[in-house]
Amino acid sequence: GSNNAADQAAVLKSLVNTKWWNANANGFYSTLDAQHQLKGGDAADVLYWGVVDEGKKADAALKDLLIEVHRHPPCAVEGESHYAEILYRYGAPAAGYSVILDLASPGHCRQEYPEVSFSEIGAITTGVMGVSIVPGPAREVETLPGLTAKTAWAELRNLPVGRNLVAIRHDGVHESTFTNLSGPALIWRAAFPGVRRKVLVDGRQMAAQTEKHLGIDFSWVEVPVGAGDTVQVRTP
């Protein structure tokens, strides 16, 4: 059942954060060799799968990943293709943006590898646009702008969400617009980085919820978006 799966996940997470944590190197091991010895170093996988304890261990893994990004190993697209999504999730959008641009740069080694194109689209959707499905019975989709100063605005259209097609536009990290292009009414959770007590929904002031996730503060409101409707949310 689901509880059993959750219990197994908790045991595995504990294993990773105790046995696979190398306190001397302040990082995670990467491999178990034939002699059953833990070796190497890894940051991307434990961050990607969300098994790192928040706090110093997550911070250390993110620091190691940023070192790997700056080291820029040639042709290692299998790993690099996943870096951007991880970096956006853990609050490093500038580094995530640099990875997206690097993988898309003309002539990048092994650029034809299929994982590259799929992960680029994924990182733009979940990172730059910050799209995620909110778990629960309600039809609810969240957006969280991951734009940096290098990108004034970004727009994604005809994104399928269940039976819906939606359009999302972010102007900086202070204004988002959501259009329910087709399909039934849904709930939009419009999120923004930082602590904000109030936001403006189509110009009307509304109290915002605040939350900390993966060490990052963000604020959000939930608004219904009817079939064919457009709603704009911005921070004052």
Side-chain angles (χ1 to χ4, degrees), residues 64-81 83 99 102-103 108-110:
D64 285 346
L65 179 57
L66 288 169
I67 290 171
E68 177 72 5
V69 169
H70 291 307
R71 192 172 68 85
H72 197 273
C75 299
V77 297
E78 295 92 337
E80 188 186 0
S81 64
Y83 290 172
V99 171
D102 178 62
L103 285 169
H108 189 288
C109 182
R110 298 176 69 211

Coordinates of all heavy atoms in Angstrom, one line a residue, residues 64-81 83 99 102-103 108-110:
D64 N 28.7 21.3 -4.5 CA 29.4 20.4 -5.4 C 28.9 20.4 -6.8 O 29.7 20.3 -7.8 CB 29.4 18.9 -4.8 CG 30.2 18.8 -3.6 OD1 31.1 19.6 -3.3 OD2 30.0 17.8 -2.8
L65 N 27.6 20.4 -7.0 CA 27.0 20.4 -8.3 C 27.4 21.7 -9.1 O 27.8 21.7 -10.3 CB 25.5 20.3 -8.3 CG 24.8 20.3 -9.7 CD1 25.3 19.2 -10.6 CD2 23.3 20.2 -9.5
L66 N 27.4 22.9 -8.4 CA 27.8 24.1 -9.0 C 29.3 24.1 -9.4 O 29.7 24.6 -10.5 CB 27.6 25.3 -8.0 CG 26.1 25.6 -7.8 CD1 26.0 26.6 -6.7 CD2 25.5 26.3 -9.1
I67 N 30.2 23.4 -8.6 CA 31.6 23.2 -9.0 C 31.7 22.4 -10.3 O 32.4 22.7 -11.2 CB 32.3 22.5 -7.9 CG1 32.5 23.5 -6.7 CG2 33.7 22.1 -8.3 CD1 33.0 22.9 -5.4
E68 N 30.8 21.3 -10.4 CA 30.8 20.5 -11.6 C 30.4 21.3 -12.8 O 30.9 21.1 -13.9 CB 29.9 19.3 -11.3 CG 29.7 18.4 -12.5 CD 30.9 17.5 -12.8 OE1 31.9 17.6 -12.0 OE2 30.9 16.8 -13.8
V69 N 29.4 22.1 -12.6 CA 28.9 22.9 -13.7 C 30.0 23.9 -14.2 O 30.2 24.0 -15.4 CB 27.6 23.8 -13.3 CG1 27.3 24.8 -14.4 CG2 26.4 22.8 -13.1
H70 N 30.7 24.5 -13.3 CA 31.8 25.4 -13.7 C 33.0 24.7 -14.3 O 33.7 25.2 -15.1 CB 32.2 26.3 -12.5 CG 31.1 27.3 -12.1 ND1 30.5 28.1 -13.0 CD2 30.5 27.5 -10.9 CE1 29.6 28.9 -12.3 NE2 29.6 28.5 -11.1
R71 N 33.2 23.4 -13.8 CA 34.3 22.6 -14.4 C 34.1 22.3 -15.8 O 35.0 22.1 -16.6 CB 34.5 21.4 -13.5 CG 35.7 20.6 -13.8 CD 35.9 19.5 -12.7 NE 34.9 18.4 -12.9 CZ 35.1 17.4 -13.8 NH1 36.1 17.4 -14.5 NH2 34.1 16.5 -13.9
H72 N 32.8 22.1 -16.2 CA 32.3 21.9 -17.5 C 33.1 20.7 -18.2 O 33.8 20.9 -19.2 CB 32.5 23.1 -18.3 CG 31.7 23.1 -19.6 ND1 32.2 22.6 -20.8 CD2 30.5 23.6 -19.9 CE1 31.3 22.8 -21.7 NE2 30.2 23.3 -21.2
P73 N 32.8 19.5 -17.8 CA 33.5 18.3 -18.5 C 33.0 18.2 -19.9 O 31.8 18.3 -20.2 CB 33.0 17.1 -17.6 CG 31.8 17.6 -17.0 CD 31.9 19.0 -16.7
P74 N 33.9 18.0 -20.9 CA 33.5 17.9 -22.3 C 32.7 16.7 -22.6 O 33.0 15.6 -22.1 CB 34.8 17.9 -23.0 CG 35.8 17.3 -22.0 CD 35.3 17.8 -20.7
C75 N 31.6 16.8 -23.3 CA 30.8 15.7 -23.8 C 30.0 14.9 -22.8 O 29.4 13.9 -23.2 CB 31.7 14.7 -24.6 SG 32.6 15.5 -26.0
A76 N 30.0 15.3 -21.6 CA 29.3 14.6 -20.6 C 27.8 15.0 -20.5 O 27.3 15.4 -19.5 CB 29.9 14.7 -19.2
V77 N 27.1 14.8 -21.6 CA 25.7 15.3 -21.7 C 24.7 14.5 -20.9 O 23.7 15.0 -20.6 CB 25.3 15.4 -23.2 CG1 26.1 16.4 -24.0 CG2 25.3 14.1 -23.9
E78 N 25.1 13.2 -20.6 CA 24.1 12.4 -19.9 C 23.8 13.1 -18.5 O 22.7 13.2 -18.1 CB 24.6 11.0 -19.7 CG 24.8 10.2 -20.9 CD 26.1 10.3 -21.5 OE1 26.8 11.3 -21.3 OE2 26.5 9.4 -22.3
G79 N 24.9 13.5 -17.8 CA 24.7 14.2 -16.6 C 24.3 15.6 -16.7 O 23.3 16.0 -16.0
E80 N 24.9 16.3 -17.6 CA 24.6 17.7 -17.7 C 23.2 18.0 -18.1 O 22.6 19.0 -17.7 CB 25.5 18.4 -18.8 CG 25.4 19.9 -18.8 CD 26.2 20.5 -19.9 OE1 26.9 19.8 -20.7 OE2 26.2 21.8 -20.1
S81 N 22.6 17.1 -18.9 CA 21.2 17.3 -19.3 C 20.2 17.4 -18.2 O 19.2 18.0 -18.4 CB 20.8 16.2 -20.3 OG 20.8 14.9 -19.6
Y83 N 21.2 18.8 -15.1 CA 21.6 19.8 -14.2 C 20.7 21.0 -14.1 O 20.4 21.4 -13.0 CB 23.0 20.3 -14.5 CG 24.1 19.3 -14.3 CD1 25.4 19.6 -14.8 CD2 23.9 18.1 -13.7 CE1 26.4 18.6 -14.6 CE2 24.9 17.1 -13.5 CZ 26.2 17.4 -14.0 OH 27.2 16.5 -13.8
V99 N 23.3 26.4 -18.0 CA 23.3 25.0 -18.5 C 22.4 24.9 -19.7 O 22.7 24.2 -20.7 CB 22.9 24.0 -17.4 CG1 22.7 22.6 -18.0 CG2 24.0 24.0 -16.3
D102 N 24.2 26.4 -22.6 CA 25.3 25.6 -23.1 C 24.9 24.4 -23.9 O 25.5 24.2 -25.0 CB 26.1 25.2 -21.8 CG 27.3 24.3 -22.2 OD1 28.2 24.8 -22.9 OD2 27.3 23.1 -21.8
L103 N 23.9 23.7 -23.4 CA 23.4 22.5 -24.1 C 22.9 22.8 -25.5 O 22.9 22.0 -26.4 CB 22.4 21.7 -23.3 CG 22.9 20.9 -22.1 CD1 21.8 20.4 -21.2 CD2 23.8 19.7 -22.6
H108 N 27.6 21.9 -29.8 CA 27.9 21.3 -28.5 C 28.1 19.8 -28.8 O 27.4 19.1 -29.5 CB 26.8 21.5 -27.6 CG 27.1 21.0 -26.2 ND1 27.2 19.7 -25.8 CD2 27.4 21.8 -25.0 CE1 27.5 19.6 -24.5 NE2 27.6 20.8 -24.0
C109 N 29.2 19.2 -28.2 CA 29.5 17.8 -28.3 C 28.3 16.9 -27.9 O 27.7 17.1 -26.9 CB 30.7 17.5 -27.4 SG 31.3 15.8 -27.5
R110 N 28.0 16.0 -28.8 CA 27.0 15.0 -28.6 C 25.6 15.6 -28.4 O 24.7 15.1 -27.6 CB 27.3 14.0 -27.4 CG 28.6 13.2 -27.7 CD 29.0 12.4 -26.5 NE 28.1 11.3 -26.3 CZ 27.8 10.8 -25.1 NH1 28.3 11.3 -24.0 NH2 26.9 9.8 -25.0

